[in-house]
Each structure stands twice: as structure tokens, then as C-alpha cells.
Amino acid sequence: MGRLTTGTATVFALLVSVLVVITALNPSFAEPPSLMTFLRAAAPLVVLAIGQYLVIVSGEFDLSVGALVGAQVVVAARLIDGMEERTWPVLLLMMGLGVLVGLVNGLVTTLLRVPSFITTLGTQLVLFGAVRLWTGGAPTGALSEGFRRWGRMGIDMPVLRQLPYALLIALVVAGLAALLMRSPFGRTLIATGDNDTAAAFAGVRVWRVRTIAFVLSSLMATLAAVLIGGFAGVTAQVGDGLEFTAITAVVLGGVVLGGGRGTVTAAIAGALAYQAIQRLFTQLALPSTARPTLQGLIIIAAVAWAARGSSRATTSPPAGHDDPTDPPGTAATAGVGDRHIATSPAPSGD
């Protein structure tokens, strides 16, 4: 029971509960083809949540990812214009745009010391306005089949019927993110989010660590745009609200706003739980006007339960963890340093 009070356990319990209810209402949901459809739809949010997790755990926010998704889809459609041979050059251009946006967000936040909330909100508005200025408010062009296949197609298989490319991409990204968080950089990222002053005293280049987090977040948004482009129409509104959806997924996974605590696994589970809740609402045929209220109540209850459990955990003496994303003060974060541990107070965000 004690483990169910932690943020990670809570989100997994929520995910399993929602999936059980969906299956009870619609037994065909448990069939492999239906599960593959669910996971394909969840893959873009999983990728976005991973990027947002990297920024949040470092102590910042990224509100530009939704606008970046919309801009990337519109730019891709305009430049490809249905011509297959332009697909890969445009994909490379999109990655370059993602890196540029991440660099701007990171450098403005860290070197000019503009709060990331303001920086990324400004980037969001710049992208929003630039797309409409460029397209005249009416996006034109078309995505090629080679572009759309990553979000729409998959590998034909028995039983599963089709293993979506989007799911494979999300699994690869999740694996790389898990390895990243187990590396010295991952421990440095968490230590920076917990106490950037102590991290700086320990020799961490805080500006560089956080800028890399922003760049990775923008690259994840670019990848999500490729996946979403597979099944969504070419509109400037395709990314509207995705930044808050990704933040909600990360928080639902028990990642502490303000940084320094949370696991990438929990962020992924939060994204899946969010997608499952949406599926449950569809299954119940709830009116669209009631969905935001119920969704908000479920999320608040889950996060409050996780926060209550985490508060209890912080009052307990640290056990011998080996998870690199555990809170500072455990053996896992000793890499960034003992000075960080010695000078940093326990995070109070949860």
C-alpha cells in the first residue's frame, strides 16, 4: 500500500484502472488490433511528454511545443506539396528548425535570465504569428505518403494485424530517454532542477544543461509533428493545446513542477493514462462540454494523491535506491555530487 502513495505507482494504478473500465465497457478493446490502435494514437503524446519531462525536471517549462507542432506540419505541407522526392530534405529541415527553436528557448532562458514561462510563451506567439503571416491564414500544400506513413502505417503482422511505426518510434525514444537519464547527464539534469545554485558550485554548467533540455524538447515536438501529420489534416491549429496536454501528462506521472524529482517512466505512464482517460470518455459517449471538467477532477485527484504520498516519503530516511532519477539525497544522485547533496534542501514541490 505504501508504494501506491508514490507518484509513479499512482499513475500506473490510474492507468490500469482506466484500461480495466474501458475493457469492461468494450471487451474488444483488449484485442491486439484495438490495443495497437490505442498505442498508435498515444505515441505522439508519449514523445511530447518525454521532451517536456526533460525540461520540467531541469526546473523549467516549455510552452512552445504545441505551436511548434502546428508550425512544423504547416511548413512540411507547404514545402513538400505532395512531391515524394521532397520528403527527406523537408524532414531534415524540420529537425533543423526544431534545434533552432530549442536553442533560442534555452539561451534566452539561461543567458538572458528570462523566465522560461515567458520565453516559451513568446516563442509560441512568434511561431503562431509567423505561420499565419507566411500562409495568409490558410495553409496550403499537401504531405506526401512517405511523410504520412510514419504516423499512419506500420508493419503487417499476424495477431496484431499491424505494428504501428509510431509505436516503434515512441519505444525507441523512450529507451533512449531512459538511457539518457541513467547517464551522468541525466543525473546532472535532475540535480540542476533540484538546486541550480548547488549544481553550479559542484561544477555544472547550468546554462548548457538546460539549453540541451530545451533542444531535446523541441526535437521531440518535431518528431511528434511527423507522427501527428500522418493522420491529422494540414491546419495551423493541429498543435493547439498540446503544450498543456504534455505538461498535464508529465504532472500526472508524479513529476514535480519546479524540477529535481520524477522519472521518465512515470511521464510516459502519465501520457498513456491521459490518452486512456480520453478513450474512456469516448467510450462513455460523454458530451464534449463535460469532458474538461471530469478530466480536470481526475487529474487533480491523482496528483493530490501522489503529492500526499511523496510528502510522506520525503519525511522518511532515504533507502538505498539505485534509480538514477530518484530524488537528490539518495545514492543515485551522488554523481553530481556530494556538494549538491550537502547543500541542497529536500525538494518541497510535492
Side-chain angles (χ1 to χ4, degrees):
M1 183 66 184
R3 289 186 62 82
L4 287 178
T5 59
T6 67
T8 303
T10 300
V11 70
F12 275 106
L14 175 65
L15 174 61
V16 171
S17 300
V18 175
L19 292 178
V20 167
V21 173
I22 295 174
T23 305
L25 295 172
N26 179 18
S28 66
F29 176 76
E31 296 176 0
S34 295
L35 288 176
M36 290 299 103
T37 301
F38 168 75
L39 292 173
R40 178 171 58 189
L45 180 56
V46 168
V47 173
L48 269 179
I50 290 172
Q52 194 67 246
Y53 162 79
L54 296 174
V55 175
I56 288 179
V57 86
S58 76
E60 303 292 349
F61 287 95
D62 190 350
L63 299 180
S64 67
V65 293
L68 182 57
V69 168
Q72 294 279 31
V73 172
V74 171
V75 168
R78 180 75 173 266
L79 295 181
I80 292 177
D81 201 18
M83 299 182 186
E84 200 66 50
E85 64 274 15
R86 294 183 181 178
T87 300
W88 283 105
V90 170
L91 284 172
L92 292 176
L93 182 65
M94 291 171 65
M95 291 298 172
L97 177 60
V99 171
L100 177 63
V101 170
L103 277 175
V104 171
N105 285 338
L107 294 178
V108 170
T109 298
T110 58
L111 297 185
L112 300 183
R113 298 186 182 280
V114 178
S116 59
F117 178 83
I118 302 299
T119 301
T120 55
L121 181 61
T123 304
Q124 180 190 75
L125 295 174
V126 168
L127 291 171
F128 183 84
V131 166
R132 280 152 184 76
L133 182 65
W134 187 42
T135 62
T140 58
L143 298 171
S144 63
E145 284 303 312
F147 186 100
R148 287 188 178 278
R149 70 177 176 180
W150 300 109
R152 178 183 296 180
M153 307 299 290
I155 302 172
D156 293 335
M157 297 183 68
V159 183
L160 298 180
R161 189 180 299 170
Q162 191 177 75
L163 182 61
Y165 290 132
L167 174 58
L168 293 175
I169 291 172
L171 288 174
V172 170
V173 171
L176 292 176
L179 290 176
L180 180 71
M181 296 312 296
R182 287 181 178 275
S183 70
F185 175 80
R187 292 192 288 271
T188 303
L189 197 66
I190 291 177
T192 300
D194 177 48
N195 190 325
D196 54 1
T197 302
F201 277 126
V204 174
R205 294 181 178 179
V206 173
W207 71 270
R208 186 170 67 181
V209 170
R210 284 179 168 158
T211 299
I212 291 175
F214 276 108
V215 171
L216 292 175
S217 175
S218 292
L219 283 174
M220 294 301 105
T222 301
L223 193 53
V226 175
L227 300 181
I228 292 173
F231 53 82
V234 180
T235 68
Q237 292 77 34
V238 70
D240 286 359
L242 283 179
E243 62 278 359
F244 295 111
T245 302
I247 291 174
T248 300
V250 172
V251 173
L252 195 60
V255 179
V256 177
L257 293 176
R261 186 176 299 161
T263 67
V264 68
T265 303
I268 294 170
L272 293 174
Y274 183 94
Q275 193 69 31
I277 291 172
Q278 295 297 319
R279 177 60 182 263
L280 176 61
F281 289 165
T282 302
Q283 200 70 50
L284 294 173
L286 287 179
S288 59
T289 51
R291 293 187 183 194
T293 302
L294 287 175
Q295 181 179 321
L297 290 174
I298 292 173
I299 290 171
I300 289 172
V303 173
W305 177 262
R308 182 169 174 266
S310 296
S311 295
R312 291 177 177 174
T314 55
T315 60
S316 303
H321 301 283
D322 59 357
D323 186 341
T325 57
D326 275 348
T330 66
T333 52
V336 175
D338 300 323
R339 293 184 62 185
H340 162 72
I341 296 171
T343 57
S344 171
S348 57
D350 57 346

